[in-house]
Amino acid sequence: MKWDKNRIRNFCIIAHIDHGKSTLADRFLEYTGALSRREMSEQVLDRMDLERERGITIKMQAVRLNYRARDGQDYQLNLIDTPGHVDFSYEVSRSLAACEGALLVVDAVQGIEAQTLANVYLALEHNLEIIPVINKIDLPSAEPETVKKELEDVIGLDASGAVLTSAKEGTGIEEILERIVTMVPPPGGQAEVPLRALIFDSHYDPYKGAIAYIRVVDGSVSGGMQIKMLAAGKQFEVNEVGVFRPALTSVGELRTGEVGFIAASIKNVKDCRVGDTVTGFRNPASEPLPGYRRATPMVYCGLYPVETAGYEDLKEALAKLKLNDASLIDEPETSEALGFGFRCGFLGLLHMEIIQERLEREYGLSLITTAPNVVYHVMTTAGEIMEIENPSAMPPAGKIEYIEEPYVKATFMVPKEYVGPVMELCQDRRGVFTHMEYMSVKRVMLNYDMPLSEIIYDFFDQLKSRTKGYASLDYELAGYRQAKLVKLDVMIAGEVLDALSVIIHLDKAYHRGRQLVEKLRGLIPRHMFEIPIQAAVGNKIIARETVRAVRKDVLAKCYGGDVTRKRKLLEKQKEGKKRMKQVGNVEIPQEAFMAVLNVSEK
Amino acid sequence: MMMPAALYIHVPFCLKKCYYCDFISYPFDAGDAGAYLDALFREMRRYGAVLSDAEKRISSLYVGGGTPTCLPAAGLCAILENAAAHFNLLPDCEITVEANPGTVDPGGLRELKKAGFNRLSLGVQSFQDRLLRVLGRVHDVREAVHAARQARAAGFTNLNLDFIFGVPGQTLDDWMETLTGAVELFPEHIALYGLQLEAGTPLEKSVAGGSIKACSEDLELSMYLTAIDFLAAHGYLHYEISNFARPGRQSVHNLGYWLNHTYLGLGPAAHSYLRERRFHNYTSLKSYLDKVNRGETPVEAGEHIPVGREMSETMFLGLRLLQGVDLGRFYRRFGRRAEAVYREEINRLEKNGLVKVEAGWLRLTKKGLPVANTVFREFV
């Protein structure tokens, strides 16, 4: 197909988890013949196993569709997939910036969810043409009229012309494609000026290096061209340019308005960061594209191998993951309790869980994870401001003037009968109520200002269980605020176990300390000696439990000389001990380190 | 040189299974018993034909169960006759039969004695009827005492009594009463077992279900330590974790296990340790009978014991004996010193006061005794 900027449409899909984005994308591929049904494994765009399991998109994908419209013309439609989770909102904003239009897909039964709303606002900020699509109309409980009213009342969109579709049954697909052609404007930009292309994603290929996913805004790019990454300041020679069909397919050139990829022997994904601008080296653009910022980690935790010998494997696995993930940060750190490991920074809780799971699943590592924490700002009595990413780095209380913690503006959308439980939860978590609004007769939008630390600790599970899964949550960072925070330490046999230290609000320290020692008492096996378990704030012990000493541990006689059975029993017990961490004289099982992660609320 | 071996014969029948038992036994049935004896004799014949003369030198024969005395005395005598025919029972051979009160009578006991059984092991378990009921024993205290006296009357001069402590509902006073009752019968040997709640047994299910409360660990430990002192005061030598004997009356058969000597087990579910292998017969009576009757080996499974494992077993079995492991003997057996092979383990345990090395023996300390498993684990 010949390049004609007016026949290009770049669009994305905004949808809540489970509202059918991936199924819809699959239908587009099928309808336009990019892939036959037989060629498609279920939901092609969700590439990672983890994404399939969780039904969410973590890593973005893109695809080019060739579509002959009702006007008889051939169009190039570029679908840029967006991650559907708050952790990746910066990535979302960059993929929106690469589009001119967005399909807003809403479930006909469930209505708008908080994250959808956040992304719609982002899309509106980028002046995207928004095409409302109401999906799952095949379901008996579908209420498309209620959903339309929500769209109008909450977002202020004209939803009268919303496309009613069932991605599952394939109805309404052509209608959506037609709307894209007629409603989404063709890309702007100028063909005859120096190259400017926006990187909206990347992935690492072991043969080709980092592959940048780009939207050409101005000019064009082709093989052999010398390019430069404006923010990274690095220069490369393009080896290959291509498009997503959805497999990566070489083409000679990518021209103004087009979406595709470039490979340029880029060794490190950090050199092609999302949001950076690609330009020509010999004839560079004077201005970068707007909106670049480096992704900053919001959540940190320590990752340690269960067996000390696993350190090198962990190091190697993290290095490999970083090839594909420029937002993952790791620093070697040493814990007195856990030995050598890494303090890792993540975009959010989901990002953290994904990395942990991939390390364990894809790299077969056995890990101990410390409780996640946010980044605290500590003003010392000496007038210094410290950024604390690790509770054990917290200066002693006497040297602290005050501590600030990050807050977020949280938006909940919830059926009205669950407003009470959500408010109660937010209150428990030090939330400050700011706003409440009825989105429809049945659903309410709630706004709270909350400490981020409260959200990363067992919040989603609580929200889910208190609202039977009907609440959705979105949040954005809203600066730092002072709070009465303290460091809660756990001492086992008199020694502080640094890996269990947490920073917590003073009012909650006693309760959490008590829960923690009670839980640990059940998890630490009995030894030959008594083991006191204490929770302390500063020098003050706030809770204490004791693991009693083993007094008797004898096997009965081996009846009829069954020595094998007895040996196996001893071996099994010994094997159990091997998986524990030796801290001082005490052997501590892995679960004990996890205890801080899931002390039950009740 | 080959040590004389021990011979174990498993009789897989009981009148009724006790509530705490998870071993193989079947309700007694005369037809099954006949088939069992035929197969057992065939198995003996088979070994008689394949073992070397040295391997057939037997220093102890132990007929255990189950409840061997479920069988008519004539059956037990036939077992002994056949064993004597196919093996070389040495002149001082210890020949034990296990018996349960309620399954013995004076005539039968006299027959056994006459046939050559020279040691009787009686499962008395407790001197409280209510605890015997908790355990699901078929006899009461009166019958147990009778059985012991009948054994004496029949001429048994080497008598062992088994007792269990840590029974749900058992008090320290109950236990003292039991120990007092035990020594009043003047047995040559006493075995004390801490009750193990084996998964799936009726007693374990009752405890798990909450209808019966388990004995506390502290109480069980008190019972154990009390018994050690009490029996010592009454002239019993504490020679193994669970076993006490008047001087010179230690069980030859069990010493063989603890010294990691060879033994051959016959009958269903019987275990053997021979020619560097540990193996056991089919546990189900039916499979055992089928195999033997078809002229095949009734061995169900086995494993080779390489030297490293043999050393390990020699350590943790030997440490059950209060005298400990004879380090010189270990060296003569393996050509390596236990102190070197297990240097780290021994150092660690010594540091914690659980074992000590003294005059060429490695043994449990008083502190190590109640937590012997912790010590044994170091050697596997």
Side-chain angles (χ1 to χ4, degrees):
Chain A
M1 203 168 73
K2 244 186 108 228
W3 172 77
D4 176 352
K5 196 154 68 83
N6 292 319
R7 304 261 181 81
I8 298 173
R9 301 291 183 269
N10 296 322
F11 72 103
C12 60
I13 305 177
I14 295 171
H16 188 72
I17 298 162
D18 288 342
H19 283 196
K21 179 173 69 172
S22 302
T23 318
L24 191 61
D26 289 352
R27 293 293 161 267
F28 291 157
L29 289 171
E30 226 176 75
Y31 191 88
T32 60
L35 281 181
S36 70
R37 189 174 269 267
R38 199 175 49 79
E39 285 171 305
M40 279 200 308
S41 67
E42 184 77 2
Q43 297 184 355
V44 175
L45 292 193
D46 287 352
R47 188 173 38 181
M48 296 197 294
D49 287 349
L50 264 173
E51 293 178 324
R52 285 203 191 136
E53 268 167 44
R54 293 181 179 218
I56 51 170
T57 308
I58 298 154
K59 195 77 183 155
M60 286 180 295
Q61 286 278 335
V63 64
R64 172 182 286 197
L65 309 165
N66 292 320
Y67 174 63
R68 175 161 295 174
R70 286 180 195 151
D71 64 9
Q73 305 280 0
D74 289 325
Y75 289 87
Q76 177 198 121
L77 310 183
N78 292 304
L79 164 58
I80 295 173
D81 201 10
T82 55
H85 193 273
V86 56
D87 284 3
F88 306 99
S89 55
Y90 174 66
E91 279 77 356
V92 174
S93 82
R94 293 307 84 205
S95 46
L96 295 178
C99 299
E100 281 75 38
L103 299 179
L104 167 58
V105 178
V106 182
D107 184 308
V109 178
Q110 299 186 2
I112 306 173
E113 304 289 0
Q115 247 149 51
T116 319
L117 186 70
N119 287 343
V120 172
Y121 286 143
L122 265 178
L124 289 170
E125 277 172 34
H126 285 89
N127 289 318
L128 263 50
E129 182 65 32
I130 292 178
I131 302 169
V133 173
I134 298 176
N135 191 21
K136 303 197 187 178
I137 53 158
D138 55 302
L139 295 179
S141 50
E143 288 186 62
E145 289 312 312
T146 314
V147 173
K148 279 185 192 176
K149 191 155 177 355
E150 269 190 11
L151 288 170
E152 289 177 355
D153 293 351
V154 179
I155 310 175
L157 277 180
D158 174 10
S160 58
V163 188
L164 302 185
T165 156
S166 162
K168 199 175 116 206
E169 297 187 344
T171 52
I173 302 303
E174 190 190 341
E175 184 56 32
I176 297 171
L177 294 171
E178 277 302 314
R179 294 287 176 93
I180 292 167
V181 168
T182 53
M183 290 172 66
V184 176
Q190 298 168 42
E192 308 306 327
V193 299
L195 168 70
R196 285 204 299 175
L198 172 70
I199 301 177
F200 62 86
D201 193 13
S202 67
H203 89 262
Y204 187 81
D205 180 290
Y207 302 105
K208 299 176 180 175
I211 298 196
Y213 294 20
I214 57 161
R215 151 76 193 268
V216 181
V217 177
D218 291 319
S220 64
V221 59
S222 53
M225 186 174 167
Q226 298 290 321
I227 54 162
K228 186 175 152 187
M229 307 297 186
L230 278 180
K234 295 263 175 81
Q235 180 200 346
F236 301 97
E237 182 181 318
V238 176
N239 302 330
E240 187 184 359
V241 299
V243 298
F244 311 101
R245 288 191 197 277
L248 274 59
T249 311
S250 286
V251 295
E253 187 179 34
L254 285 172
R255 302 183 62 177
T256 312
E258 287 193 301
V259 171
F261 68 87
I262 50 180
S265 305
I266 303 168
K267 290 210 173 59
N268 195 326
V269 278
K270 289 201 158 55
D271 293 331
C272 62
R273 284 182 184 271
V274 170
D276 203 350
T277 303
V278 185
T279 189
F281 181 73
R282 295 209 179 81
N283 187 14
S286 51
E287 285 290 313
L289 294 163
Y292 174 75
R293 67 178 167 85
R294 278 176 77 127
T296 43
M298 308 265 281
V299 176
Y300 283 81
C301 78
L303 293 180
Y304 291 84
V306 171
E307 305 216 20
T308 334
Y311 177 78
E312 285 300 321
D313 293 339
L314 174 59
K315 186 175 163 185
E316 209 169 288
L318 280 169
K320 281 186 186 154
L321 286 181
K322 282 195 295 183
L323 286 176
N324 239 333
D325 187 344
S327 53
L328 173 64
I329 286 178
D330 66 332
E331 287 276 336
E333 90 174 344
T334 311
S335 151
E336 280 165 43
L338 300 176
F340 294 109
F342 291 90
R343 179 129 293 245
C344 297
F346 307 94
L347 295 174
L349 212 53
L350 179 72
H351 188 210
M352 178 178 94
E353 283 170 11
I354 290 162
I355 297 292
Q356 285 168 6
E357 270 195 60
R358 293 189 64 188
L359 287 170
E360 298 202 326
R361 215 187 278 193
E362 293 170 27
Y363 296 90
L365 299 175
S366 192
L367 296 177
I368 291 177
T369 315
T370 66
N373 59 267
V374 298
V375 179
Y376 295 94
H377 290 173
V378 175
M379 172 64 91
T380 64
T381 47
E384 227 184 326
I385 294 178
M386 298 171 72
E387 286 197 5
I388 300 292
E389 292 156 8
N390 184 348
S392 59
M394 186 65 91
K399 296 207 167 147
I400 297 174
E401 192 68 41
Y402 60 83
I403 304 175
E404 289 181 339
E405 63 176 333
Y407 263 67
V408 295
K409 285 193 180 305
T411 304
F412 299 87
M413 289 190 184
V414 57
K416 65 177 180 195
E417 58 267 37
Y418 296 116
V419 167
V422 171
M423 291 181 105
E424 206 178 302
L425 176 61
C426 290
Q427 222 75 50
D428 277 357
R429 300 308 184 89
R430 302 191 281 132
V432 179
F433 173 82
T434 55
H435 185 68
M436 174 165 138
E437 193 177 310
Y438 270 81
M439 300 162 65
S440 66
V441 286
K442 288 185 191 160
R443 297 217 310 152
V444 175
M445 183 168 80
L446 278 169
N447 293 104
Y448 271 86
D449 287 351
M450 294 185 64
L452 177 61
S453 66
E454 296 285 351
I455 288 182
I456 65 169
Y457 174 71
D458 189 33
F459 188 83
F460 286 95
D461 287 348
Q462 284 293 320
L463 183 66
K464 206 169 161 184
S465 75
R466 292 186 193 201
T467 62
K468 300 203 169 78
Y470 281 113
S472 64
L473 162 65
D474 188 67
Y475 56 85
E476 55 178 324
L477 266 193
Y480 275 73
R481 295 189 192 179
Q482 269 190 41
K484 281 192 289 178
L485 298 167
V486 292
K487 184 168 145 224
L488 175 67
D489 291 319
V490 174
M491 296 193 287
I492 291 180
E495 305 233 10
V496 173
L497 211 59
D498 55 2
L500 289 181
S501 296
V502 289
I503 292 167
I504 189 169
H505 195 266
L506 180 62
D507 296 346
K508 295 190 164 190
Y510 177 79
H511 186 60
R512 179 85 71 90
R514 177 113 292 284
Q515 284 179 324
L516 211 48
V517 296
E518 275 170 18
K519 181 125 187 211
L520 288 169
R521 188 195 55 190
L523 291 172
I524 293 177
R526 295 167 62 193
H527 284 57
M528 293 298 302
F529 43 87
E530 194 172 87
I531 304 168
I533 303 174
Q534 296 159 302
V537 170
N539 294 325
K540 197 176 156 206
I541 305 295
I542 57 172
R544 180 190 161 115
E545 289 282 344
T546 305
V547 177
R548 297 180 51 226
V550 176
R551 302 199 51 208
K552 186 174 174 298
D553 180 17
V554 194
L555 284 180
K557 70 169 176 178
C558 36
Y559 291 81
D562 188 354
V563 174
T564 301
R565 168 175 155 155
K566 186 154 121 176
R567 193 190 67 235
K568 284 187 176 153
L569 189 65
L570 291 169
E571 279 170 351
K572 203 172 134 201
Q573 291 167 343
K574 187 166 184 168
E575 196 49 43
K577 277 163 68 84
K578 260 202 203 147
R579 287 197 299 270
M580 298 190 199
K581 275 275 173 190
Q582 177 97 25
V583 178
N585 272 332
V586 183
E587 276 152 350
I588 300 176
Q590 238 174 307
E591 302 86 64
F593 295 99
M594 306 302 190
V596 284
L597 304 180
N598 50 17
V599 177
S600 115
E601 277 294 299
K602 292 289 157 193
Chain B
M1 187 210 75
M2 188 121 193
M3 298 295 293
L7 184 61
Y8 174 80
I9 291 165
H10 191 73
V11 181
F13 302 108
C14 281
L15 289 184
K16 170 181 158 266
K17 203 157 173 152
C18 300
Y19 295 157
Y20 56 90
C21 173
D22 75 335
F23 285 85
I24 298 299
S25 82
Y26 297 90
F28 179 74
D29 172 281
D32 287 348
Y36 157 76
L37 287 173
D38 286 345
L40 181 68
F41 300 153
R42 208 167 158 178
E43 195 189 5
M44 285 183 182
R45 220 171 17 250
R46 187 188 164 89
Y47 276 110
V50 299
L51 295 183
S52 69
D53 286 347
E55 285 166 329
K56 282 192 281 192
R57 283 155 51 90
I58 301 298
S59 58
S60 77
L61 167 63
Y62 195 103
V63 182
T67 305
T69 44
C70 276
L71 298 174
L76 291 169
C77 296
I79 290 177
L80 181 48
E81 275 166 35
N82 274 273
H86 298 296
F87 296 87
N88 174 13
L89 303 186
L90 297 175
D92 287 334
C93 189
E94 176 190 273
I95 303 173
T96 308
V97 61
E98 277 183 349
N100 275 323
T103 62
V104 291
D105 59 77
L109 287 168
R110 273 196 300 276
E111 258 185 82
L112 295 176
K113 183 69 184 61
K114 195 164 158 241
F117 286 99
N118 54 28
R119 187 169 181 269
L120 189 81
S121 177
L122 203 56
V124 176
Q125 315 308 1
S126 172
F127 270 87
Q128 288 78 35
D129 284 335
R130 78 170 201 290
L131 297 179
L132 291 174
R133 282 194 295 273
V134 170
L135 293 169
R137 300 290 295 182
V138 296
H139 57 89
D140 59 18
V141 173
R142 202 180 51 87
E143 282 171 301
V145 172
H146 267 294
R149 293 198 175 126
Q150 286 163 359
R152 290 295 192 207
F156 280 97
T157 55
N158 196 355
L159 183 64
N160 169 63
L161 304 182
D162 277 350
F163 294 93
I164 294 184
F165 62 95
V167 181
Q170 188 178 26
T171 66
L172 204 52
D173 284 346
D174 291 334
W175 182 234
M176 283 310 296
E177 188 178 78
T178 293
L179 292 171
T180 308
V183 298
E184 280 172 1
L185 293 170
F186 298 107
E188 283 67 31
H189 193 280
I190 294 177
L192 307 180
Y193 297 119
L195 178 68
Q196 304 266 316
L197 293 171
E198 300 290 354
T201 57
L203 190 58
E204 185 268 341
K205 284 183 192 164
S206 302
V207 170
S211 62
I212 291 181
K213 199 169 167 293
C215 177
S216 81
E217 191 185 79
D218 282 349
L219 180 55
E220 201 183 323
L221 180 63
S222 302
M223 289 180 188
Y224 182 54
L225 298 177
T226 305
I228 291 171
D229 291 344
F230 182 87
L231 293 180
H234 286 80
Y236 289 89
L237 181 70
H238 186 198
Y239 74 100
E240 192 266 353
I241 287 176
S242 306
N243 288 277
F244 301 79
R246 292 201 178 281
R249 296 302 193 125
Q250 291 95 325
S251 160
V252 174
H253 188 79
N254 284 331
L255 277 173
Y257 292 146
W258 297 316
L259 295 172
N260 206 13
H261 291 165
T262 56
Y263 52 90
L264 177 64
L266 306 176
H271 288 257
S272 302
Y273 177 36
L274 196 67
R275 299 183 181 175
E276 295 176 14
R277 289 184 67 77
R278 292 195 184 277
F279 52 92
H280 66 88
N281 284 348
Y282 278 94
T283 49
S284 111
L285 177 60
K286 187 177 178 304
S287 306
Y288 169 79
L289 294 177
D290 285 352
K291 286 288 177 187
V292 177
N293 291 337
R294 268 187 271 152
E296 295 169 24
T297 168
V299 171
E300 183 175 15
E303 58 169 350
H304 171 66
I305 304 295
V307 174
R309 184 164 285 173
E310 187 184 338
M311 288 196 285
S312 147
E313 291 176 349
T314 301
M315 294 305 287
F316 79 72
L317 290 169
L319 280 167
R320 287 192 70 97
L321 294 169
L322 278 275
Q323 66 182 18
V325 174
D326 182 339
L327 297 172
R329 193 162 169 177
F330 185 98
Y331 179 69
R332 289 192 296 279
R333 179 166 177 173
F334 297 105
R336 298 178 64 188
R337 300 216 171 267
E339 310 90 297
V341 178
Y342 300 106
R343 183 188 311 277
E344 273 177 48
E345 289 81 1
I346 293 172
N347 281 347
R348 193 156 51 228
L349 291 168
E350 258 189 321
K351 214 177 79 197
N352 290 329
L354 301 181
V355 300
K356 66 178 169 205
V357 179
E358 214 171 47
W361 294 76
L362 173 74
R363 69 172 69 99
L364 292 174
T365 60
K366 207 169 171 180
K367 183 181 169 193
L369 187 62
V371 290
N373 267 350
T374 311
V375 176
F376 299 162
R377 270 200 292 274
E378 292 285 347
F379 295 97
V380 298

